[in-house]
Amino acid sequence: VHGMARSGRPCETPVQRPRGVLPPLRHQGSRGPIEGPWLKRLAECAEKDFVAQFVHGLCSPQRARFGSTNKITKEFEVVAVDKIVNPAQMLQYRQQLSALSRQVGWGCTPVFPPGSRHNVPNPECPKGGCINEVFLLHGTTAEGLAGILQSGFDNTRSGQRNGRFFGSGLYFADEACKCDSYTQAENGQRTIVLARVCLGKAWLALSPKPDMKDPPRGFCSVVGESNDNGGVLDFREYVIYQGTQALPVYLIHYKHTTRCSCTRCKFSSPRG
């Protein structure tokens, strides 16, 4: 995704560093701000608008908690967007994408319909082909964000805080309200990762499979279906079992609005 600021200037605030040198990430404290030369803050531009739409605004209604019949509706406001620049992770991801294309080809059944904002444009994809390379969201703690920026996604740490409906994989969502539950507030703000994820040939799961360590034979990923499609979840979950199938590309910083009706906002101030 590329864009220019409305003033005609580039979207990004460039980071100065010696040629060929990628400085280490700076991370202050166990819950401090995520800062560092691997991030580029986006100005107002088409690229920022595209990324922000994955989080900004009113979410779909969801249960207040698992097993509850009470419904809540979250609402978010995007504060800032940082672009993640990590050439080493990009190379690993492209190698994995190439390997999956050789493994399953470009004839996968699409997870999202044509024209969906979740579909990643890929010039290497033949006309009418599909390998399910998509934009998905991932929520985690400040420590988790630091690890993702330093080393990419690590499936060995999956489910440490919130359980594993589909085993020891890496979990993503297409709804920000799903990811919000796994984040931590810092000064009223939270952060969600927008990633490029290659799902390849996806296996649809209608019930929990907590003992899974890999997708079923012949498949590259698992999609846990929502209640609306015969599953047990409020929102779909997308699970991969190799970290190099996902590339973190943006950090979306946001806050809950004053109109948010989630349980956190009813009992906390300031909102986050």
Side-chain angles (χ1 to χ4, degrees), residues 2 9 105 117 121 217 242 258-259:
H2 302 283
R9 297 189 300 270
R117 68 185 180 189
R217 180 181 291 272
Q242 294 188 59
T258 56
R259 293 181 295 181

Side-chain angles (χ1 to χ4, degrees), residues 19 36 56 59-60 95 116 120-121 199 212:
R19 178 176 296 179
H56 190 85
C59 296
S60 302
Q95 290 173 338
S116 170
V120 177
L199 298 174
M212 294 184 71

Side-chain angles (χ1 to χ4, degrees), residues 132-145:
N132 283 317
E133 186 185 8
V134 294
F135 288 113
L136 292 173
L137 300 164
H138 180 80
T140 187
T141 62
E143 290 84 355
L145 286 174

